[in-house]
Amino acid sequence: QVQLVESGGGLVQPGGSLRLSCLASINMFSKYTMAWYRQAPGKQREMVAVMISGGSTIYADFVNSRFTVSRDNTKNTVYLQMNSLKPEDTAVYYCNAAYPPYDADFWGQGTQVTVSS
């Protein structure tokens, strides 16, 4: 059974940093496109960052070079390093794993990130 387990969320002051991790119990993890999404209260879920299997990355405009997505295929883990956090970054952050040839699309349970003084 596929599981994505996020960790690393919490309360941080504006300007601070957090590193989110997502451990995926997936066979052939290296083939999957891994992504981070977020959902703030009353808003739709939105893409934050994507890392495809080859290593290319895509970021939402609001990231503005503050976040970095990375993956360690030996550990079946994807990371999101978040720096210069702002109150508007407050949201539940979700990990997503997708592999269209297998019609695979999996989500984690989310981890809360709160940016507040």
Side-chain angles (χ1 to χ4, degrees):
Q1 183 175 350
V2 173
Q3 275 193 315
L4 303 179
V5 180
E6 300 99 333
S7 60
L11 174 64
V12 63
Q13 292 187 340
S17 298
L18 283 175
R19 187 195 195 204
L20 306 183
S21 300
C22 172
L23 174 61
S25 60
I26 296 178
N27 289 330
M28 298 189 294
F29 171 82
S30 63
K31 294 185 179 294
Y32 278 71
T33 293
M34 300 301 296
W36 288 96
Y37 286 73
R38 71 183 188 185
Q39 187 167 18
K43 295 187 177 181
Q44 289 191 332
R45 190 172 296 189
E46 60 183 353
M47 185 273 288
V48 177
V50 178
M51 186 170 224
I52 66 172
S53 61
S56 297
T57 55
I58 302 168
Y59 294 95
D61 289 344
F62 62 77
V63 168
N64 198 23
S65 301
R66 299 181 297 128
F67 300 173
T68 302
V69 62
S70 61
R71 65 194 295 165
D72 185 340
N73 291 335
T74 67
K75 297 181 179 179
N76 276 27
T77 301
V78 63
Y79 305 96
L80 184 67
Q81 176 67 45
M82 302 188 295
N83 300 325
S84 302
L85 283 161
K86 306 174 181 179
E88 51 263 44
D89 293 317
T90 295
V92 178
Y93 284 69
Y94 296 91
C95 177
N96 174 263
Y99 187 50
Y102 287 176
D103 196 23
D105 188 12
F106 305 109
W107 292 89
Q109 82 288 348
T111 185
Q112 177 70 46
V113 171
T114 303
V115 185
S116 175
S117 56

